[in-house]
Amino acid sequence: MNTTTNLIKEFQAIFMSAETPRVFFAPGRMNLIGEHTDYNGGHVFPASLSFGTYALGCKRDDQLLRFYSLNFPETGIIECDLNSLSFDEAAGWANYPKGMVLYMKEASNSALHGADILFYGNIPNGAGLSSSASIELATGVLVNGLFGLNMERIPMVQLGQKVENEYIGVNSGIMDQFAIGMGKENHAILLNCQTLDYRYAPIVLENHSVVIINTNKQRTLAGSKYNERRSQCEEAVKELQQKLPISSLGELSALQFEENKQLITDPINRKRAKHAVFENLRTLEALEKLQQDDLAGFGQLMNESHLSLRDDYEVTGIELDTIVQAAWDQEGVIGARMTGAGFGGCAIAIVEKDRVEEFKANINKKYHEVVGYEATFYTAAIGDGAREL
Ligand code: GLA
């Protein structure tokens, strides 16, 4: 039996329903390069993954929403009324779909109905592969489909970000929701986060694979230093504005930054800004390398990205640094870096296909020696964005 058939059975058992639900899916994402640049008005280069979150739903005649997640069976069915969807600590994980339903209802100005909705995700939670944006967009395509809202995709992506920022309270950028909402099989997306201009770039690696390495260090974005990094960059922009007519760090060239960096008084904020400016430039350069079939050049930029995140942005930590250093020390590795917000989560490496097994064994040996537990490995396939199955 395939996943979908199984999930339909689960749905019918949990909600005691004879109806066949419609099945929707939103992937997770990895980011190839361009980290902590989205909220700095720069570029990112993410791709959607083949694993993600399934959302199955049936309309109800009343105003009741019932949510159940196979990943959190201990919380049981979480119920709420369509007319009182404000954030509620006790609803736990269900706040993500609740927030999304609320904002879609407001934005579309439609009278929705209640629904029974089952979620199942195969993205590891807290691994930095955007399980939260995935559940937001899975809810988005489900609500759009069940209630025939005809919402365009980019506004839906923006509502996902609004859930994160205003409903949950994490000041994240647009990258995750965009990658998940707009993903395309075997392509990464170069996105200008200031203008939302984007283009797809084929990722055809032939003799190489992208390996995702999970540190298995538990962390939550809300509790991390994410919001602090963001305000440090905002402070740097304010000081640069004394002389430069900019609204974000993503607008600066290397030369402009070098000539004006002394305006940033706090040396820590100066390092943060340096990362944001150069990471944005590296991201643009990375696309050029890919277009020139220069995979080695691409890998080199990934490595530089990690160094900058480690030394200037300071969002890596012993777990990610151990994995990435061990990857750099391996034969057959083109490039390696952390991906996502950092502070734990996942790293990615481009590895020669024939050496992937050897790579995993060697990395795990080193990781276990230093950190005391194992890492988990996934070989990334790049799949399509959020959709009905
Ligand atoms: C998290 C956020 C994104 C982005 C990355 C870092 O994934 O949700 O908006 O800022 O961190 O690049």
Side-chain angles (χ1 to χ4, degrees), residues 29 34-36 38-39 172-176 221 226 340-341:
R29 68 94 190 92
E35 216 65 84
H36 290 278
D38 59 352
Y39 55 83
S172 52
I174 189 86
M175 171 171 74
D176 302 346
L221 205 55
Y226 186 91

Side-chain angles (χ1 to χ4, degrees), residues 91 205 231 262 271 349:
L205 296 176
S231 37
Q262 293 313 329
K271 285 206 295 186

Side-chain angles (χ1 to χ4, degrees), residues 109-373:
N109 221 343
S110 314
L112 308 183
H113 278 273
D116 289 337
I117 307 174
L118 172 80
F119 292 100
Y120 167 67
N122 51 15
I123 312 176
N125 284 322
L129 303 175
S130 287
S131 53
S132 62
S134 178
I135 195 172
E136 287 152 13
L137 268 294
T139 309
V141 287
L142 177 138
V143 169
N144 195 47
L146 282 191
F147 301 109
L149 301 183
N150 283 324
M151 184 176 279
E152 303 265 352
R153 192 50 67 92
I154 292 182
M156 188 191 293
V157 160
Q158 288 170 317
L159 291 182
Q161 187 193 8
K162 186 173 166 186
V163 171
E164 220 48 80
N165 295 171
E166 294 175 21
Y167 197 86
I168 304 291
V170 181
N171 239 338
S172 52
I174 189 86
M175 171 171 74
D176 302 346
Q177 289 80 8
F178 201 97
I180 289 169
M182 299 291 290
K184 182 169 163 184
E185 189 174 11
N186 295 330
H187 288 72
I189 312 175
L190 183 82
L191 171 68
N192 177 330
C193 300
Q194 185 92 306
T195 60
L196 297 191
D197 286 338
Y198 66 95
R199 56 202 264 216
Y200 293 105
I203 302 292
V204 190
L205 296 176
E206 285 164 14
N207 303 323
H208 293 84
S209 299
V210 182
V211 181
I212 302 179
I213 310 119
N214 188 351
T215 60
N216 290 323
K217 180 190 181 186
Q218 283 307 315
R219 55 135 181 96
T220 65
L221 205 55
S224 73
K225 300 250 174 204
Y226 186 91
N227 288 353
E228 181 189 288
R229 293 294 179 282
R230 187 167 181 154
S231 37
Q232 288 168 329
C233 290
E234 282 161 7
E235 281 168 35
V237 169
K238 272 195 210 123
E239 290 180 316
L240 291 166
Q241 282 169 337
Q242 293 162 24
K243 228 181 108 191
L244 299 169
I246 56 162
S247 61
S248 72
L249 294 170
E251 291 159 45
L252 291 175
S253 67
L255 185 65
Q256 278 173 317
F257 180 75
E258 292 303 342
E259 285 179 351
N260 294 286
K261 65 183 179 196
Q262 293 313 329
L263 291 170
I264 308 170
T265 45
D266 181 339
I268 298 205
N269 291 354
R270 204 179 305 137
K271 285 206 295 186
R272 306 293 191 243
K274 177 181 163 210
H275 166 76
V277 170
F278 286 91
E279 180 75 356
N280 179 43
L281 300 172
R282 268 191 292 276
T283 306
L284 293 169
E285 209 186 324
L287 179 71
E288 283 169 26
K289 298 284 181 207
L290 213 55
Q291 286 168 337
Q292 296 155 2
D293 271 332
D294 179 1
L295 200 56
F298 187 86
Q300 184 57 35
L301 290 163
M302 288 175 70
N303 299 347
E304 286 168 24
S305 164
H306 187 85
L307 288 172
S308 174
L309 289 155
R310 184 188 77 185
D311 301 334
D312 288 331
Y313 220 63
E314 298 182 280
V315 293
T316 56
I318 179 82
E319 299 83 2
L320 285 166
D321 289 336
T322 302
I323 286 172
V324 170
Q325 184 64 54
W328 290 341
D329 294 342
Q330 288 299 300
E331 295 285 325
V333 174
I334 300 275
R337 58 183 289 279
M338 56 159 268
T339 189
F343 313 106
C346 287
I348 53 173
I350 301 182
V351 185
E352 257 175 52
K353 277 196 177 131
D354 295 345
R355 294 187 186 256
V356 168
E357 288 314 310
E358 174 191 334
F359 171 85
K360 291 182 189 171
N362 291 342
I363 300 287
N364 234 349
K365 184 163 173 284
K366 184 76 199 170
Y367 190 64
H368 196 271
E369 260 168 44
V370 177
V371 175
Y373 50 86

